[in-house]
Amino acid sequence: MIEVSNLSKLYWTGLIEVKALRDVSIMMGDGEYVSIMGPSGSGKSTLMNLLGCLDTPSSGSYRLDGQEVSALNDDGLARIRNRKIGFVFQTFNLLPRLTSIANVELPMIYSGLNRKDRKEKAIAALEKVGLADRMLHRPNELSGGQTQRVAIARALVNNPSIILADEPTGNLDRETGRDIINLFQKLNLEFGVTLIIVTHDMEVGRSSKRLIQLVDGRLVKDEKVDT
Amino acid sequence: MIEVSNLSKLYWTGLIEVKALRDVSIMMGDGEYVSIMGPSGSGKSTLMNLLGCLDTPSSGSYRLDGQEVSALNDDGLARIRNRKIGFVFQTFNLLPRLTSIANVELPMIYSGLNRKDRKEKAIAALEKVGLADRMLHRPNELSGGQTQRVAIARALVNNPSIILADEPTGNLDRETGRDIINLFQKLNLEFGVTLIIVTHDMEVGRSSKRLIQLVDGRLVKDEKVDT
Ligand SMILES: Nc1ncnc2c1ncn2[C@@H]1O[C@H](COP(=O)(O)OP(=O)(O)OP(=O)(O)O)[C@@H](O)[C@H]1O
Ligand SMILES: Nc1ncnc2c1ncn2[C@@H]1O[C@H](COP(=O)(O)OP(=O)(O)OP(=O)(O)O)[C@@H](O)[C@H]1O
Ligand SMILES: [Mg+2]
Ligand SMILES: [Mg+2]
C-alpha cells in the first residue's frame, strides 16, 4: 500500500532552486502495475528515489504499508529497502570490482541465507534474465544491455514485494526488452508483486495496467490503460 | 573514408574466450549516415570502440582516411580521436566532479583556443541540446537524459568530421530523442559530418541512410534504408 500526499522535492545548485517534484499525490494498492512516463527532466527518477526510500522529500508525506517513511532515519530506511523493495537504477549502479554473480548476491548478505543458498538464488536470477553464461564477468566486461540485466537480476533476487524499475529496457533491443517485461508481468500476475516502471517506451507503458505522467515535476495524468 | 577489413575482437575472461566481433568488413565514404543495430551483446559497442580508436582489434585491418589505425600507438590513436572523432558513449562517461560546461569544454583543452572561446563554444553546444540552464550542474545533479545530452554536446564541440554515437537516445523521451536525431541529421546534411549511430530504436534506424545489423559478432546485413 503506497500513499503519497503532496510530495515535493527541491534541489539547490548554487543559488538556483530546482523544483524537481511539486505536490505529487498518488495512491497505489498492493499488486498494482503502474508505469510512469514524461519528458527528460520531469522528475521521474526523483519520484522513484523517494518511493524507494533512497531519499527523503522536502515536504509532503509518503506512507508505505501504513508507515510514514519521511519520519525514518537512515537505518529505518535501509531496513525497508532491504526487506520490501527491489530497485533497478537508471544507471545500473553495479559494483565495478565484483562479478555479475557477486553483484546479484549482494542484497542477500543480511538475509541470513548461507553461501550455497545465496549462490543458487543468484544463478537462478541470472538465468531469468538470460545471463548465466556471464556470471563471472565484471561490469566493464559486459555490454550495456547485459549490465542492465544484471541490475534487474539483483533487484529480483530477494523476492521483494515492490519492484521499482527506472527505465529497465533503455539499453535493450526490442526482443530482449520484451523478455524483461514478460518477466515483470509474470511476477505481477503470479506472485502479486507491485510493479512501478519508469519508461520512455510506449510499448512498455501499454503493457502496464495504469499510466502516470509527469511534466515539470507535476503529476498531469493518472489513468487506467485500456487493453 | 572508413575501410574495415576482416576485423575481429576476442576477449578473455578467465579461461573463456568471447568472440565479440568476427570478421567484420565495412566500407564507408565521407558524409555517410549509418545506423548499427542488433541484439544485446552482439558486438555493437565493441565495433564502435574500434572505429573510435579507443581500442585495437585482435586481427584484421581498419584504415581511417588511408591510415592503418591498428598500427598506431596510444599517442597516435589519441591524436586521431581528438582531431577527427566525436564519441557519445553508451554510458556517457562524464567526469563526475566537473560541471556540465567543464565536461563539454574538455575536448577543446588541446585545441589552442583561449578560455573565452572554449566557454562560448561549450555554451553553444549545450544550447543545441537544450541544456544551457544546467551548465553549472554536475552529473549527479542531472537527470539520466540530461547526462546523455551533455555527453552529446561534448561530442559535438570540437566540430569533428565523424560522430560515433552509441545509443544516444536510450534515456530520452520520444520528443527529446527526435530533437537529437534532427540535430545529427542537420550536421550530416549541412556540414557533411559522417554519422555512425548504434541504436535499438527502429525510428532512429529508419531516419538514417544505411542500416548495418550485427548478430553474435558477425555482420549479417548492410543495406540502404528505403525512404
Ligand atoms: N541532485 C540534484 N541537484 C540538483 N538538481 C537535480 C538533482 N537531481 C536532479 N535534479 C534536477 O531535477 C530535475 C528532475 O530530475 P529527474 O532525474 O527526476 O528527471 P527524470 O524525469 O528522471 O529525467 P530523465 O528521463 O532524463 O531520466 C532535473 O531537471 C534535474 O536537473
Ligand atoms: N572487456 C570485456 N571482456 C570480456 N567480454 C567482453 C568485454 N567487453 C564486452 N564483452 C562481451 O562481448 C560481447 C559484445 O559486447 P558489446 O558491448 O559489443 O555488445 P553490444 O552489442 O554493444 O550490446 P548492448 O546492446 O547490450 O550494448 C558481449 O557478449 C560481452 O559480454
Ligand atoms: Mg531519470
Ligand atoms: Mg553496447
Side-chain angles (χ1 to χ4, degrees):
Chain A
M1 186 71 197
I2 288 176
E3 301 162 89
V4 167
S5 177
N6 291 99
L7 214 62
S8 293
K9 181 72 182 181
L10 308 169
Y11 291 115
W12 288 90
T13 313
L15 293 165
I16 304 180
E17 181 192 64
V18 176
K19 294 196 172 81
L21 269 190
R22 322 184 202 202
D23 280 324
V24 171
S25 297
I26 308 171
M27 298 276 282
M28 256 183 246
D30 294 338
E32 285 209 42
Y33 181 178
V34 184
S35 44
I36 301 177
M37 301 187 76
S40 176
S42 55
K44 306 179 296 296
S45 296
T46 301
L47 176 59
M48 292 293 268
N49 289 341
L50 295 175
L51 292 177
C53 303
L54 290 158
D55 198 3
T56 46
S58 309
S59 63
S61 137
Y62 169 30
R63 302 183 73 83
L64 176 58
D65 295 337
Q67 187 172 23
E68 178 55 57
V69 162
S70 45
L72 295 174
N73 62 14
D74 282 351
D75 281 348
L77 292 173
R79 252 191 318 254
I80 288 190
R81 285 200 303 268
N82 227 304
R83 276 196 0 248
K84 299 191 179 196
I85 299 172
F87 204 111
V88 186
F89 294 85
Q90 186 169 8
T91 47
F92 321 149
N93 296 23
L94 298 181
L95 296 190
R97 295 194 189 169
L98 299 185
T99 58
S100 299
I101 187 170
N103 263 294
V104 174
E105 282 187 39
L106 223 47
M108 295 186 279
I109 298 294
Y110 301 112
S111 61
L113 291 167
N114 63 40
R115 181 101 217 285
K116 176 165 168 299
D117 290 340
R118 293 205 307 266
K119 202 165 181 230
E120 271 181 31
K121 284 181 174 285
I123 292 175
L126 282 168
E127 280 174 337
K128 286 213 190 91
V129 299
L131 287 176
D133 64 348
R134 287 285 180 275
M135 69 171 87
L136 297 180
H137 286 230
R138 290 180 171 70
N140 70 328
E141 297 168 327
L142 295 170
S143 78
Q146 290 168 344
T147 316
Q148 187 158 37
R149 283 182 278 159
V150 173
I152 290 168
R154 180 182 61 178
L156 305 180
V157 81
N158 248 347
N159 300 316
S161 50
I162 301 171
I163 290 175
L164 297 169
D166 197 340
E167 306 206 30
T169 63
N171 278 285
L172 302 176
D173 58 277
R174 238 185 219 283
E175 189 166 333
T176 313
R178 280 177 192 154
D179 292 342
I180 292 300
I181 296 305
N182 287 339
L183 173 61
F184 284 162
Q185 276 178 320
K186 192 157 173 280
L187 291 170
N188 178 247
L189 294 170
E190 289 184 27
F191 301 99
V193 176
T194 305
L195 291 180
I196 305 173
I197 300 184
V198 167
T199 186
H200 285 313
D201 190 333
M202 246 354 277
E203 191 173 320
V204 175
R206 274 195 295 265
S207 65
S208 67
K209 298 181 192 158
R210 174 180 172 188
L211 184 44
I212 285 173
Q213 301 237 29
L214 297 184
V215 173
D216 246 347
R218 294 191 194 282
L219 193 147
V220 302
K221 204 175 180 188
D222 184 351
E223 296 182 347
K224 267 194 158 67
V225 174
D226 2 281
T227 22
Chain B
M1 188 66 196
I2 288 177
E3 301 161 89
V4 168
S5 177
N6 291 101
L7 213 62
S8 293
K9 182 72 182 180
L10 307 170
Y11 290 115
W12 288 90
T13 313
L15 294 164
I16 304 180
E17 181 193 64
V18 176
K19 295 199 174 77
L21 268 191
R22 320 183 201 201
D23 281 322
V24 171
S25 297
I26 309 172
M27 299 276 280
M28 255 184 247
D30 294 339
E32 284 209 41
Y33 181 179
V34 183
S35 44
I36 301 177
M37 302 187 76
S40 177
S42 55
K44 307 179 296 297
S45 296
T46 301
L47 176 58
M48 293 291 268
N49 289 341
L50 295 175
L51 292 176
C53 304
L54 291 159
D55 198 1
T56 44
S58 309
S59 63
S61 137
Y62 170 30
R63 302 182 72 81
L64 176 58
D65 295 337
Q67 186 172 23
E68 178 54 59
V69 163
S70 44
L72 296 173
N73 63 15
D74 282 352
D75 280 348
L77 291 173
R79 252 190 318 253
I80 289 189
R81 285 200 304 268
N82 227 308
R83 275 194 3 249
K84 299 190 178 197
I85 299 172
F87 204 111
V88 186
F89 293 84
Q90 186 170 9
T91 47
F92 322 149
N93 297 24
L94 298 180
L95 296 190
R97 294 194 189 170
L98 299 185
T99 58
S100 301
I101 187 169
N103 262 295
V104 174
E105 283 187 40
L106 223 46
M108 294 185 280
I109 299 293
Y110 301 112
S111 62
L113 292 168
N114 64 40
R115 182 99 218 285
K116 176 164 168 299
D117 291 339
R118 292 204 309 265
K119 202 167 180 230
E120 270 183 32
K121 284 181 174 287
I123 292 176
L126 282 169
E127 280 174 338
K128 285 212 189 92
V129 299
L131 287 175
D133 64 349
R134 287 285 181 274
M135 70 171 86
L136 298 180
H137 285 231
R138 289 178 171 72
N140 70 329
E141 297 168 327
L142 295 171
S143 78
Q146 290 169 342
T147 315
Q148 187 157 35
R149 282 182 279 158
V150 173
I152 291 167
R154 179 182 61 177
L156 306 179
V157 81
N158 248 348
N159 300 316
S161 50
I162 301 171
I163 290 175
L164 297 169
D166 198 342
E167 307 206 30
T169 63
N171 277 285
L172 302 176
D173 58 275
R174 229 142 263 286
E175 189 166 334
T176 313
R178 280 176 192 155
D179 292 342
I180 292 300
I181 295 306
N182 288 338
L183 173 60
F184 284 163
Q185 276 178 321
K186 193 156 173 278
L187 291 171
N188 177 247
L189 294 169
E190 290 185 24
F191 301 100
V193 176
T194 306
L195 290 180
I196 306 172
I197 300 184
V198 168
T199 185
H200 285 312
D201 190 334
M202 246 354 276
E203 192 174 319
V204 174
R206 273 195 295 264
S207 66
S208 67
K209 297 182 192 155
R210 175 180 171 189
L211 183 45
I212 285 175
Q213 301 237 28
L214 298 184
V215 173
D216 246 347
R218 293 191 194 284
L219 193 145
V220 303
K221 204 175 181 187
D222 185 351
E223 296 182 346
K224 268 192 159 65
V225 174
D226 0 281
T227 23

